[in-house]
Amino acid sequence: MENEKTFKLCLTMAGAVSAGAYTAGVIDYLLETLELWERAKVINRSRGINHPDYDHSIPMHHVEIDVMSGSSAGGISGSLTLLALADKNYKSINKDNPNGIDNIFYRSWVEMADTKESSTIDKLLGDNDLKEFGEVRSLLNTKAIDDIADEAIRIREQRKIPKYASDSLDVILTTTNLRGINFLVNFDGSRDSSKGTVITNHGGFFRYKLKNDKYKSGIPVSEDELYYVLDVSKKKHLQYLKEATLSTAAFPIGLRSREVAISSEYIKRYPKYLFKKSKGIEPLLPEGDIYTFNSVDGGVINNEPYGIALKVLKEKNPKSIEACRYGVIMVDPFPNKDKDVSKSGKSISSIAKGLLRSLRNQVMFNQEGILDALDLSDRTKFLIEPVRKIKKNGKWIRSKNDLASAPIGGFAGFLSRDFRAHDFQLGRKNCQAFLRYYFAIPSEEIETRLSIKPKAEIKERFEFSVPPMDVKGDKLFPIIPDMRVLRNFNNKFDTETYGEDADIQNLPFPKMSFSEFENRYKSKIKRRIGLIVKYLLKNRFLSFLANFFYAKNAGYKFVKETIEKELAENDLLN
């Protein structure tokens, strides 16, 4: 049953390839902040309001994560968040845990598949996948991704999820279904399959809940419900989550596509959920109990899945939505800033580029629930994006580059652990500023939207102004109070208790030596290119002889020049 006094939180995590390290840092700081606040509230509840040591500066309202959605790298972080909430051993990165012990985000996104013997990129350039499959399934060897997933998608010691997460928590992972689901559209309203036309939907999603007293594992009995309840104590269920997670992150061509097998019952319910009771639309459902499809990156069709997340949030909490007791936060390492709608050229290459761009833009515009998401209410939709500032001539200005992982289409993070560590830290820093100074409501709305009557001590500690530190400015109040704050208005933080975590600083922007990179990986890159050519042309012997050595050298030259150029342009080379 909907708790009308609870502020509902919807998290959406966009695709980002290796820059998912940034999203991971954001979520890590968010969970730590919610945990610190919950501990403070527990102490207050145990004492009672009349106790002499009751802390009247702590807001006692309730915020809970109710829906999470993710695509590609964001989908991975969505699954990791679910597991972090359910794992008793999860610990955030901070001054007491600088190496990320038991931190599923740091282990997966910063350390990745690095070991003392080999780096992640060593594994991505390996050739065991070509030998195993006998064909080329991706430009990079995804065995490293499988190893990361094997380590991450598990529970060390299960716990009941914390109070700052809903007991009906939904996790939604988008996917691009290459097989698609066919629908027969009969314009005369009949069910005659000889009439009408077939439309095919290639966008889809996996939706999961966690087993608890309210939800039994498996597919719910009601045909109106479209989700699967996971029992994370079972290896089989963890395998389902792993397959879905790898499916949403299968970056086309670069990483291997994934074959997914799910219950046909889920597919049978999907059309009803998609079209509700629309007349004249009949799904052409697959036969058998299992539906199998080949999946690539969910970001191909829906890279910023806030629409479907908000749709689920509205279905679950209509009264909270009506009262504006909710917030949608999108974490997006690469928000689209392209405002160019100029005409394309007339050459065949210009037309091809324009066509791809048009298709991409149109599928994003048509994404599920987009109109609901664009129905903006005051201070209910928020964005966390990378922002890195540097001090120049005594003033703080926006730096030329924010993320170290951004070059090469987001693949640069695979080249260096330092790149990923920087972006993770930037995510934590940006989340800190976001929670303190952006994720907020006007102070006059505290009682109606947060369901508390704020005492003077609460406002004194957490209220801030826009413009900053202006006593005559607009007063705002953070939805999630950060316990590291002593007085938000004038930037006073509890460094005595929390040290450097109370005011996170940027890591130095990382650099790498391209000559060292080339010395270590040149032969491996050339070998990978040569083997790809070999397997692609294995039945064309003469063509293989003519092209093998040329392809290796030309391919390596292209890779080298691309990497070196982009890293140099982004100030990442020594």
Side-chain angles (χ1 to χ4, degrees):
M1 184 176 179
E2 178 185 358
N3 186 340
E4 298 174 37
K5 292 186 177 182
T6 296
F7 191 95
K8 301 290 184 177
L9 190 58
C10 175
L11 301 177
T12 293
M13 291 156 274
V17 197
S18 66
Y22 174 82
T23 301
V26 168
I27 301 301
D28 184 54
Y29 189 86
L30 173 64
L31 294 186
E32 184 181 18
T33 304
L34 286 166
E35 178 65 26
L36 290 174
W37 181 31
E38 180 60 29
R39 290 177 189 174
K41 289 193 290 184
V42 167
I43 293 173
N44 260 4
R45 292 189 202 107
S46 67
R47 289 172 176 169
I49 196 167
N50 294 318
H51 192 281
D53 294 326
Y54 185 93
D55 191 342
H56 291 278
S57 74
I58 296 175
M60 296 300 287
H61 64 283
H62 187 46
V63 175
E64 67 179 18
I65 304 171
D66 194 51
V67 179
M68 296 188 293
S69 67
S71 174
S72 191
I76 295 175
S77 291
S79 294
L80 297 183
T81 305
L82 178 71
L83 294 169
L85 291 168
D87 195 334
K88 185 178 180 180
N89 293 322
Y90 168 73
K91 298 175 184 175
S92 286
I93 289 283
N94 50 44
K95 67 179 180 60
D96 299 320
N97 187 30
N99 296 318
I101 304 300
D102 289 326
N103 187 291
I104 193 173
F105 299 108
Y106 196 83
R107 179 70 188 89
S108 301
W109 280 112
V110 177
E111 295 181 357
M112 281 193 172
D114 287 0
T115 63
K116 292 180 179 180
E117 294 76 28
S118 61
S119 68
T120 299
I121 195 169
D122 279 317
K123 297 179 175 67
L124 290 171
L125 294 173
D127 59 13
N128 57 335
D129 62 323
L130 298 171
K131 296 175 181 177
E132 177 183 353
F133 301 123
E135 62 181 4
V136 180
R137 297 193 177 181
S138 56
L139 294 180
L140 296 172
N141 184 351
T142 54
K143 180 65 167 61
I145 309 300
D146 293 337
D147 291 343
I148 296 170
D150 288 339
E151 173 65 21
I153 308 296
R154 63 189 181 95
I155 296 290
R156 281 73 175 168
E157 186 177 356
Q158 191 173 353
R159 66 171 174 177
K160 183 178 180 181
I161 63 173
K163 286 191 175 182
Y164 47 83
S166 169
D167 58 7
S168 66
L169 176 66
D170 281 285
V171 178
I172 301 164
L173 311 177
T174 64
T175 184
T176 299
N177 180 348
L178 295 184
R179 178 180 179 184
I181 303 174
N182 289 332
F183 298 87
L184 180 67
V185 181
N186 287 319
F187 293 98
D188 62 1
S190 72
R191 295 190 176 184
D192 185 351
S193 60
S194 65
K195 299 179 180 180
T197 186
V198 173
I199 59 174
T200 304
N201 178 43
H202 290 278
F205 58 85
F206 305 96
R207 179 180 169 189
Y208 296 111
K209 293 182 184 290
L210 284 175
K211 177 190 174 185
N212 54 31
D213 294 338
K214 289 177 61 176
Y215 297 97
K216 296 181 179 179
S217 63
I219 297 177
V221 175
S222 172
E223 293 184 356
D224 293 329
E225 304 286 358
L226 185 69
Y227 55 80
Y228 191 92
V229 179
L230 293 169
D231 181 351
V232 292
S233 67
K234 295 182 178 179
K235 289 184 178 180
K236 183 170 71 172
H237 283 218
L238 287 173
Q239 184 65 24
Y240 294 158
L241 180 62
K242 175 186 170 184
E243 291 173 357
T245 304
L246 291 173
S247 167
T248 192
F251 192 91
I253 311 300
L255 302 177
R256 178 167 62 88
S257 65
R258 302 287 174 167
E259 186 175 75
V260 180
I262 61 175
S263 169
S264 290
E265 180 61 31
Y266 186 89
I267 298 300
K268 290 175 183 177
R269 295 182 186 186
Y270 186 73
K272 186 177 181 181
Y273 188 84
L274 187 66
F275 294 114
K276 296 183 179 179
K277 296 181 179 180
S278 299
K279 294 182 179 180
I281 300 178
E282 293 290 330
L284 303 177
L285 298 171
E287 296 181 359
D289 296 331
I290 301 298
Y291 173 78
T292 304
F293 65 95
N294 205 29
S295 172
V296 295
D297 197 305
V300 171
I301 288 180
N302 193 351
N303 195 56
E304 298 167 337
Y306 44 83
I308 181 60
L310 184 54
K311 177 180 179 179
V312 171
L313 188 75
K314 286 187 172 185
E315 289 173 351
K316 295 172 65 179
N317 309 289
K319 293 181 180 178
S320 297
I321 299 295
E322 184 179 354
C324 281
R325 292 196 187 98
Y326 76 100
V328 179
I329 300 174
M330 183 166 76
V331 186
D332 194 346
F334 303 130
N336 186 11
K337 304 290 187 180
D338 184 9
K339 299 177 182 177
D340 180 20
V341 291
S342 58
K343 295 179 181 179
S344 65
K346 296 181 180 180
S347 69
I348 190 169
S349 61
S350 296
I351 295 298
K353 291 178 182 177
L355 178 62
L356 289 173
R357 179 182 174 192
S358 299
L359 291 172
R360 171 65 175 163
N361 289 343
Q362 193 61 33
V363 295
M364 287 301 298
F365 188 82
N366 286 339
Q367 69 161 276
E368 177 69 15
I370 184 69
L371 295 180
D372 285 339
L374 295 177
D375 181 18
L376 298 176
S377 298
D378 188 33
R379 300 196 72 86
T380 59
K381 314 297 189 301
F382 301 85
L383 171 68
I384 303 179
E385 62 175 316
V387 175
R388 186 174 68 92
K389 293 186 176 181
I390 57 175
K391 204 167 188 178
K392 189 174 182 179
N393 299 325
K395 294 183 179 180
W396 287 99
I397 62 170
R398 186 74 178 265
S399 61
K400 178 183 176 182
N401 305 295
D402 297 310
L403 295 180
S405 300
I408 324 171
F411 275 82
F414 291 123
L415 304 181
S416 169
R417 182 186 183 281
D418 290 344
F419 291 4
R420 305 189 296 268
H422 169 274
D423 293 352
F424 186 94
Q425 176 81 340
L426 183 64
R428 283 182 57 85
K429 179 175 176 61
N430 284 176
C431 186
Q432 183 175 80
F434 172 78
L435 294 179
R436 292 175 181 178
Y437 304 115
Y438 296 94
F439 190 50
I441 59 174
S443 290
E444 61 268 21
E445 297 179 5
I446 295 174
E447 188 171 346
T448 58
R449 294 185 64 183
L450 300 183
S451 304
I452 58 168
K453 294 182 179 180
K455 296 204 171 185
E457 294 93 333
I458 290 176
K459 284 191 172 185
E460 178 70 16
R461 182 175 180 182
F462 291 107
E463 192 176 63
F464 64 97
S465 69
V466 178
M469 293 185 279
D470 185 347
V471 293
K472 295 182 180 180
D474 295 333
K475 303 301 188 297
L476 292 110
F477 187 84
I479 294 167
I480 298 175
D482 190 336
M483 293 297 104
R484 307 170 191 85
V485 167
L486 293 176
R487 190 165 188 259
N488 217 18
F489 183 84
N490 56 0
N491 303 329
K492 286 187 177 180
F493 312 123
D494 190 356
T495 54
E496 183 178 342
T497 303
Y498 299 101
E500 60 189 15
D501 299 320
D503 188 15
I504 297 174
Q505 301 301 307
N506 285 327
L507 290 176
F509 203 57
K511 306 279 187 181
M512 64 175 284
S513 166
F514 192 79
S515 60
E516 290 181 8
F517 171 83
E518 190 172 23
N519 287 339
R520 178 167 181 178
Y521 297 114
K522 178 178 180 179
S523 61
K524 293 182 179 182
I525 294 173
K526 293 184 73 171
R527 175 175 171 77
R528 177 83 187 175
I529 292 171
L531 287 173
I532 287 174
V533 172
K534 175 182 177 180
Y535 278 90
L536 288 175
L537 301 175
K538 61 183 178 181
N539 294 324
R540 304 173 186 176
F541 183 69
L542 293 177
S543 179
F544 163 68
L545 288 178
N547 288 287
F548 178 68
F549 294 105
Y550 172 78
K552 284 179 65 174
N553 292 320
Y556 178 73
K557 181 181 179 183
F558 173 78
V559 170
K560 173 191 173 181
E561 291 177 352
T562 299
I563 293 176
E564 189 172 20
K565 179 175 180 289
E566 293 216 19
L567 294 183
E569 289 176 349
N570 287 273
D571 298 326
L572 291 166
L573 292 181
N574 290 324

